Amino acid sequence: MIAPDGLEPVTINGITRTIRVDPGAPAMPIITRDYADAAGMKAGMFGFAMGFGPKVMVSGGTAVARVAFGKVEPAKLRIGFTPKPYAVNVAGVFGPASLAAPVIRFRLREPVAGERTTSFPMVDQGGLFGGWAERFAIIMVEGEPLRIRFDPHHPRTLANAGAAVRLARAYGGTLSGSISPAEIAFGVERPVRTMTLATPLAMGPLTIGTLGVRTVDHGHTDTIADADTHADPNEVVVTGKGKHDIKRDRLSIGADQLNRCSSIVFDKPAKQIRLSCR
């Protein structure tokens, strides 16, 4: 069972550091370059990159190393490393798919009376290197799957622009307020506005009525109603017709919702994510 802070000692090539096991982190562990250097890791032919918005990319190298938790025998694992840390004050992050155990339970707090557990299908990112990415729950929005990421280490629930447009159509979303920055990972901040849903999104035990929207990431929010703008009935709004890949739409559930939950379970054999909340 993973404790709420996710902190665990890990040994890579004989060098031990503290990392965070994070339900929202990629399957390929990502450590700092300092840790990689200390462990004698040299970048191989496979690099990686993570995109956070238009022309916003974090890239790094990868290498195969011997990894051990506690007294378990070391096993070979491909690890990514970057100059900037994925998260502050830790030497790296490991996602649930990084770990060998078939079932990974994240304890967020102690259970309380009245909780219920909901199961969601679990998928990866898809594509050639999709197995390196996070593990997502799936819900249906407008008859199409939407990938859900669980991120208790960030305060706010966030949708990228593509997901926000779909949620706005399905649940009557309206944007309001000014743009403010929100950190996503690696210290990268993205512009975010607040969206209110006329009909809250019910996701198992969670009910989401307001959320943050990354206004220009993987789409645009121009078509979402804006409470701060008085529409001109004679105005003609022209929107682009570029093809949108819904597989890139993401909703990240933050601590503002997960503080109601006691655990997140990633069950690899069952291909399920189970969420227990009040």
Side-chain angles (χ1 to χ4, degrees):
M1 182 180 292
I2 308 301
D5 62 12
L7 300 182
E8 296 278 347
V10 67
T11 301
I12 299 177
N13 289 347
I15 305 298
T16 302
R17 296 284 189 274
T18 298
I19 57 87
R20 187 171 80 199
V21 183
D22 186 331
M28 183 179 70
I30 299 175
I31 64 174
T32 62
R33 185 181 296 278
D34 286 346
Y35 189 11
D37 289 345
M41 296 168 59
K42 304 295 182 184
M45 63 181 294
F46 294 109
F48 78 99
M50 297 179 68
F52 294 93
K55 300 181 181 179
V56 181
M57 192 81 67
V58 173
S59 59
T62 77
V64 175
R66 296 181 65 80
V67 179
F69 284 89
K71 297 181 180 180
V72 176
E73 282 295 311
K76 288 185 177 180
L77 190 64
R78 183 169 294 278
I79 297 175
F81 46 91
T82 56
K84 278 190 172 183
Y86 183 98
V88 297
N89 300 324
V90 290
V93 292
F94 282 56
S98 305
L99 308 183
V103 178
I104 309 297
R105 178 183 295 273
F106 291 87
R107 181 173 63 85
L108 305 181
R109 58 162 173 75
E110 293 301 318
V112 297
E115 288 191 351
R116 59 190 178 102
T117 299
T118 303
S119 297
F120 302 92
M122 179 172 67
V123 299
D124 63 20
Q125 185 167 282
L128 183 60
F129 295 103
W132 288 10
E134 302 93 332
R135 292 299 180 264
F136 302 96
I138 288 289
I139 64 170
M140 302 302 289
V141 175
E142 297 186 310
E144 297 286 352
L146 175 63
R147 283 173 166 82
I148 308 296
R149 174 176 171 265
F150 296 102
D151 185 6
H153 298 289
H154 282 88
R156 194 175 186 190
T157 294
L158 297 175
N160 66 11
V165 168
R166 290 170 61 190
L167 291 169
R169 284 196 302 255
Y171 298 98
T174 304
L175 293 172
S176 63
S178 60
I179 292 174
S180 59
E183 196 267 347
I184 309 301
F186 299 103
V188 173
E189 294 183 336
R190 302 301 300 147
V192 169
R193 292 187 72 195
T194 295
M195 183 166 73
T196 302
L197 302 178
T199 302
L201 167 65
M203 209 185 90
L206 302 180
T207 302
I208 301 172
T210 61
L211 63 152
V213 172
R214 295 166 59 180
T215 54
V216 295
D217 295 346
H218 302 298
H220 295 277
T221 57
D222 302 346
T223 59
I224 301 177
D226 193 327
D228 299 335
T229 301
H230 297 289
D232 182 346
N234 298 313
E235 181 182 12
V236 177
V237 178
V238 179
T239 59
K241 294 185 178 180
K243 186 173 177 59
H244 175 67
D245 183 2
I246 64 170
K247 292 181 180 178
R248 301 179 73 183
D249 295 347
R250 300 285 186 271
L251 175 61
S252 183
I253 308 298
D256 55 350
Q257 290 289 330
L258 293 175
N259 61 10
R260 297 172 48 197
C261 305
S262 63
S263 67
I264 309 169
V265 176
F266 290 77
D267 187 331
K268 301 172 194 176
K271 295 184 178 179
Q272 285 185 346
I273 297 175
R274 294 189 290 273
L275 191 64
S276 296
C277 312
R278 57 178 168 80

